[in-house]
Amino acid sequence: CLASYEQLKDLAGLADAHNGMANICFELGRLAEARQHYEAGAAIKRDIGDVYGQAMIANNLGNTLKLQDEVDEAITQYGRSLAIFEQLGSLYATGVLHMNLGATHLQRGDLPSAEASLRRSAELYNQAGAEDFLPELERYLAELHLRRNDLPKARLAGELSLETALRLEARAEEGMTRRVLAQIMIRDGDQAGAWDELARS
């Protein structure tokens, strides 16, 4: 597909093909290749003036950089994507971007910034009536409370995340939330409960 678009000199198609290849590499855990394709796609999107495409790829690139523990650059990419989606007026997309920023701040250990971004994400999801990412958002809030050693709030957020994941039949999210619940239970001295959650995960 990439070769065909290059031969046809179809830049829009080529950028989308790079994004598609990057998504596949990302899912396979081949993050260096994913990054190369996202960066190639982003450069073309800038050259042809595709603003929406730039925003989408910047978010995807942020996800890749976050997993590579390149936190500062991930925040830069998320910020770039957020600025565009705010101009486009997409509540849903800006909610996703604030959630991603919150998770990245959490990874960095900046808990106040993480909380501010996650709370803003929750507000935007509520305004948009969107639920797709709620289990993930609630899981990050559980992790935030766990970092602060507020076990009752952590457990409440974790249980809410699990309940939402089960209702939405989001199996991968359920598995990840059960791992967070296990961490909370370990901290709370409930090793039997933790083992049960890990086994279910």
Side-chain angles (χ1 to χ4, degrees):
C1 185
L2 283 167
S4 296
Y5 280 125
E6 283 176 350
Q7 188 175 11
L8 292 167
K9 300 190 187 314
D10 181 340
L11 294 179
L14 184 60
D16 290 337
H18 273 298
N19 189 52
M21 280 290 290
N23 290 340
I24 293 165
C25 291
F26 181 89
E27 293 297 331
L28 291 170
R30 287 155 48 180
L31 300 181
E33 289 177 71
R35 180 175 178 174
Q36 289 173 357
H37 283 292
Y38 283 136
E39 288 175 342
I44 296 169
K45 293 289 187 183
R46 282 193 298 274
D47 289 343
I48 65 176
D50 181 350
V51 176
Y52 178 81
Q54 290 175 56
M56 291 294 293
I57 293 180
N59 179 59
N60 292 342
L61 184 53
N63 291 337
T64 304
L65 292 162
K66 180 175 176 287
L67 284 179
Q68 291 180 309
D69 207 29
E70 295 193 34
V71 178
D72 291 340
E73 185 57 28
I75 288 171
T76 297
Q77 292 296 330
Y78 287 141
R80 187 170 293 154
S81 182
L82 177 62
I84 294 171
F85 278 122
E86 283 178 337
Q87 287 181 339
L88 295 174
S90 173
L91 292 175
Y92 179 81
T94 52
V96 171
L97 266 302
H98 277 290
M99 182 187 72
N100 289 344
L101 279 166
T104 310
H105 287 306
L106 190 62
Q107 182 174 327
R108 177 194 255 168
D110 182 353
L111 302 188
S113 295
E115 182 171 22
S117 292
L118 294 173
R119 296 294 179 199
R120 181 62 181 142
S121 175
E123 291 170 6
L124 290 162
Y125 285 157
N126 186 51
Q127 290 174 35
E131 291 191 314
D132 308 24
F133 287 96
L134 276 183
E136 185 177 356
L137 173 63
E138 291 157 354
R139 184 176 73 251
Y140 292 139
L141 287 168
E143 291 180 28
L144 174 71
H145 295 310
L146 182 59
R147 292 275 193 98
R148 288 178 168 162
N149 209 33
D150 189 338
L151 298 184
K153 282 187 179 178
R155 192 156 193 160
L156 185 63
E159 287 170 353
L160 185 59
S161 172
L162 180 60
E163 180 183 313
T164 308
L166 289 169
R167 180 168 56 80
L168 297 177
E169 298 181 353
R171 300 291 286 167
E173 294 299 329
E174 177 191 347
M176 288 185 279
T177 294
R178 288 189 184 281
R179 285 164 51 190
V180 173
L181 281 169
Q183 293 175 40
I184 295 165
M185 290 173 178
I186 289 168
R187 189 83 63 84
D188 207 21
D190 181 4
Q191 293 203 3
W195 275 114
D196 183 53
E197 291 297 344
L198 287 171
R200 292 185 182 193
S201 173

